[in-house]
Amino acid sequence: MPEPMMHIGELAERTELSLRTIRHYDEVGLLKPSGRTDGGFRLYTERDCARLMLIRRMKPLGFALEEMAALLRIIDVLDDDAGDPALRSQLQLFIERATEQRDKLQRQLDMADEFVDLLRKR
């Protein structure tokens, strides 16, 4: 049985991303639609949706489009061959970078919380 497909509007709604953003990711090669209707409209699968959510989660951590593409290529290969040590090493670098960026965001959030608390005490 073929995998169910969704139109770009449903994908946008589910991922809380704009149609423009999704189209841009298609144009730069980060997320190609899995199919098209007879009229040429983009169609996406659940796997495409999961990939887009991964991209969405990279964005606030400051990853550039080129870095996102590199990470997605690593993930794609590891999905097929999980034992490649060179790719595992590259993935580890992305994990370390994401962790550093996450910690930086946490520090900023903590400062924002302190600021709000200071204002509330006035």
Side-chain angles (χ1 to χ4, degrees):
M1 180 195 283
E3 187 173 358
M5 304 284 264
M6 67 187 97
H7 288 269
I8 192 170
E10 181 180 348
L11 183 67
E13 186 175 312
R14 288 182 56 188
T15 60
E16 298 179 351
L17 291 169
S18 69
L19 299 175
R20 182 178 176 197
T21 297
I22 296 170
R23 288 184 189 112
H24 177 67
Y25 289 158
D26 179 7
E27 291 168 12
V28 298
L30 286 180
L31 181 74
K32 293 292 184 187
S34 288
R36 293 217 178 236
T37 66
D38 292 338
F41 293 102
R42 295 168 175 90
L43 293 172
Y44 297 91
T45 63
E46 287 298 324
R47 182 178 169 142
D48 296 330
C49 186
R51 184 180 187 91
L52 186 54
M53 290 302 294
L54 184 63
I55 293 167
R56 183 178 153 209
R57 289 177 178 117
M58 284 186 257
K59 190 76 175 146
L61 295 176
F63 287 99
L65 292 176
E66 298 80 22
E67 293 171 310
M68 291 179 186
L71 179 55
L72 291 169
R73 281 191 298 273
I74 290 168
I75 290 170
D76 288 344
V77 173
L78 287 175
D79 282 348
D80 294 334
D81 178 15
D84 187 324
L87 287 180
R88 286 262 161 230
S89 176
Q90 291 176 32
L91 178 61
Q92 184 58 40
L93 293 175
F94 276 102
I95 292 169
E96 290 168 10
R97 167 110 184 275
T99 301
E100 289 171 9
Q101 288 300 104
R102 188 230 170 265
D103 292 346
K104 180 180 175 183
L105 288 171
Q106 184 62 56
R107 287 189 301 276
Q108 291 174 338
L109 183 58
D110 290 344
M111 285 190 280
D113 287 343
E114 289 173 12
F115 176 67
V116 170
D117 287 343
L118 286 171
L119 292 178
R120 286 185 175 143
K121 291 177 183 177
R122 303 243 168 222

